[in-house]
Amino acid sequence: MTIFYNFEPPAGGGMETNMAKEIWKPGNMLYPLPAVLVTVSDGKGNDNVLTIAWTGTVCSDPPMVYISVRPSRHSYSMLKETGEFVINLTTEQLAYATDYCGVKSGEKENKFEAAKLTREPAKFVSAPLIKESPVNIECQVVDVTHLGTHDMFMAKILCVHADKKYMDRNGKFHLSKADPLVYSHGQYYGVGKKVGKFGYSVQKKSRKKN
């Protein structure tokens, strides 16, 4: 899994006496994050799947995302060769497969078979979709930024596949019904209960009719 974190108190002590919080040296503490399964292909019939937590939205218009991958990963060369990948959202039911694909290398085994994941053809890219995923996002790389431990692949979204079983009668998609999976500091979690919606803090309350 493309995860890196290192939280340690600064040299000479941890907590300052006049503060209620410890001060740590810089580290990745932006949690929780989506734990996604990313599928790639070399364009020659060889596919792989890897687990990514360093991923997120870049822009909404045009729709863009990113993933960060260590150059040492088996999938890295496939990403560089084809410039394509699919982000497959995960669920609590996919927790085992998500972890397995993060700790095993596709160089040594077929992780689709080992994790019991089903390939489905994508519409625009050579990388396959994962059938068990509620949402599959086809992506085309537009830029690669060389950083430290990871390289960031910025990509435009070509299309989104949404599982019909999570749609209501009005065609609204309810991802919450799929029990999405997130990652936080070495642990996997469900997302929990709904506590509000965007804009609810300023929404005017409707008056009840007498």
Side-chain angles (χ1 to χ4, degrees):
M1 182 181 295
T2 57
I3 307 298
F4 177 77
Y5 52 85
N6 185 10
F7 308 129
E8 297 179 4
M15 183 184 298
E16 294 186 13
T17 56
N18 62 338
M19 297 182 69
K21 296 179 180 178
E22 290 187 8
I23 298 178
W24 295 340
K25 68 180 183 181
N28 297 108
M29 196 59 181
L30 184 61
Y31 292 116
L33 295 165
V36 302
L37 290 169
V38 172
T39 45
V40 296
S41 175
D42 64 1
K44 302 174 184 177
N46 299 307
D47 305 325
N48 194 35
V49 54
L50 71 158
T51 304
I52 297 283
W54 286 181
T55 182
T57 298
V58 175
C59 184
S60 55
D61 187 15
M64 296 181 66
V65 293
Y66 80 91
I67 59 172
S68 290
V69 183
R70 290 179 183 270
S72 60
R73 296 298 296 268
H74 177 60
S75 296
Y76 182 89
S77 59
M78 295 185 183
L79 281 165
K80 292 282 286 186
E81 287 174 12
T82 65
E84 299 174 344
F85 62 90
V86 179
I87 294 177
N88 304 272
L89 300 192
T90 59
T91 65
E92 292 181 27
Q93 190 173 1
L94 286 170
Y96 179 88
T98 302
D99 186 66
Y100 188 91
C101 292
V103 296
K104 292 289 187 176
S105 173
E107 189 175 9
K108 299 179 180 179
E109 64 176 311
N110 186 322
K111 289 195 283 186
F112 286 94
E113 294 180 0
K116 298 181 179 179
L117 297 172
T118 308
R119 291 179 178 86
E120 284 190 331
K123 183 176 178 63
F124 297 108
V125 301
S126 58
L129 314 179
I130 293 176
K131 181 179 180 179
E132 292 79 9
S133 171
V135 175
N136 318 92
I137 306 169
E138 295 189 37
C139 304
Q140 184 178 59
V141 176
V142 297
D143 186 54
V144 181
T145 302
H146 302 285
L147 302 169
T149 56
H150 297 68
D151 283 358
M152 182 176 70
F153 291 79
M154 192 178 300
K156 63 180 180 180
I157 296 174
L158 302 179
C159 75
V160 177
H161 303 255
D163 197 324
K164 291 181 179 179
K165 68 182 176 182
Y166 301 115
M167 293 183 183
D168 61 23
R169 295 179 180 177
N170 299 318
K172 183 178 180 180
F173 186 74
H174 297 269
L175 182 60
S176 59
K177 292 184 178 180
D179 298 323
L181 188 71
V182 296
Y183 176 88
S184 181
H185 200 188
Q187 309 292 329
Y188 302 102
Y189 297 93
V191 297
K193 67 178 182 179
K194 175 184 174 181
V195 296
K197 66 176 183 178
F198 178 74
Y200 86 100
S201 62
V202 296
Q203 185 178 17
K204 292 182 179 180
K205 295 181 180 180
S206 59
R207 294 183 179 180
K208 293 182 180 180
K209 296 182 179 180
N210 295 328

